[in-house]
Amino acid sequence: MKSIKIENVVASTAIGSEIDLSEVAHVLEGADYDPEQFPGLVYRTKNPKAAALIFRSGKIVCTGAKSIEDVEKSLQIVFGKMMELGISVIGKPQIIVQNIVASADLKSELNLNAIAIGLGLENIEYEPEQFPGLVYRIKEPKVVVLLFGSGKLVITGGKKTEDVEAAVKKISKELQGLGLL
């Protein structure tokens, strides 16, 4: 498999109870809360490194993690902190991966003009005057891939790591089939 690196995993969950964010901000060390700037409280975990965006409704978005396991570990820390503060965490909150952003390197220069024509314009956006990459929307797995002339890729929209791997495999195969890789 080409060098695939998970850059960011975004997931959401909910603890099932409302949170007084002002109160939490005062007692939770390292919490950032500025409702004028952003409606949620930001709490960063160091190991694993991630940020939890905590909202009054009890909904939490975790971002910045490098793996699904790191999301789960980070959120377990957050749940623990909530319980330490006397905030009830109802049941075992379901963690839903919303988006995985990954990068990959095909280790080959790419001719984006030829790729845009070869892959067919219905799933491609390529306007080099606007953006140096080619945007390729794949239906299965449902992801968006940015291809750059350097051979580097950015894959976004996946819900599991297998989506990323399948997308890179699919693109490699399509480009090889067109004689462009």
Side-chain angles (χ1 to χ4, degrees):
M1 184 51 58
K2 310 289 183 236
S3 59
I4 296 174
K5 182 176 177 225
I6 303 294
E7 303 290 347
N8 185 18
V9 178
V10 178
S12 62
T13 189
I15 63 168
S17 56
E18 288 212 350
I19 303 168
D20 181 341
L21 296 179
S22 299
E23 181 66 29
V24 171
H26 287 302
V27 293
L28 185 57
E29 194 175 322
D32 291 324
Y33 182 54
D34 184 353
E36 305 281 314
Q37 297 294 315
F38 182 70
L41 178 144
V42 180
Y43 180 71
R44 290 174 176 78
T45 58
K46 288 183 177 54
N47 190 14
K49 193 172 179 202
L53 312 176
I54 304 169
F55 298 93
R56 185 180 57 78
S57 63
K59 287 188 167 52
I60 301 171
V61 175
C62 180
T63 185
K66 301 287 187 195
S67 69
I68 293 170
E69 297 75 36
D70 283 357
V71 164
E72 290 168 355
K73 288 178 192 166
S74 181
L75 285 172
Q76 290 308 320
I77 292 167
V78 171
F79 299 152
K81 294 285 184 191
M82 293 291 120
M83 290 187 283
E84 283 173 23
L85 297 174
I87 298 165
S88 63
V89 175
I90 298 168
K92 184 179 187 298
Q94 183 184 13
I95 298 169
I96 301 163
V97 174
Q98 301 293 337
N99 185 23
I100 295 175
V101 179
S103 62
D105 190 348
L106 297 177
K107 307 235 185 282
S108 175
E109 296 280 315
L110 299 176
N111 179 338
L112 299 182
N113 288 317
I115 291 170
I117 294 163
L119 290 178
L121 298 174
E122 60 277 353
N123 299 319
I124 299 282
E125 288 174 43
Y126 182 50
E127 296 181 40
E129 312 79 34
Q130 303 287 321
F131 181 68
L134 181 147
V135 180
Y136 182 26
R137 295 179 194 288
I138 300 177
K139 288 186 175 64
E140 193 52 49
K142 193 173 187 306
V143 297
V144 175
V145 181
L146 307 177
L147 293 89
F148 297 93
S150 64
K152 300 250 195 292
L153 309 176
V154 174
I155 305 98
T156 184
K159 305 283 189 203
K160 48 192 191 290
T161 53
E162 293 82 20
D163 292 345
V164 173
E165 292 163 7
V168 172
K169 209 175 271 183
K170 181 174 185 154
I171 284 183
S172 296
K173 196 172 176 179
E174 287 177 349
L175 296 180
Q176 285 166 347
L178 295 168
L180 298 171
L181 184 63

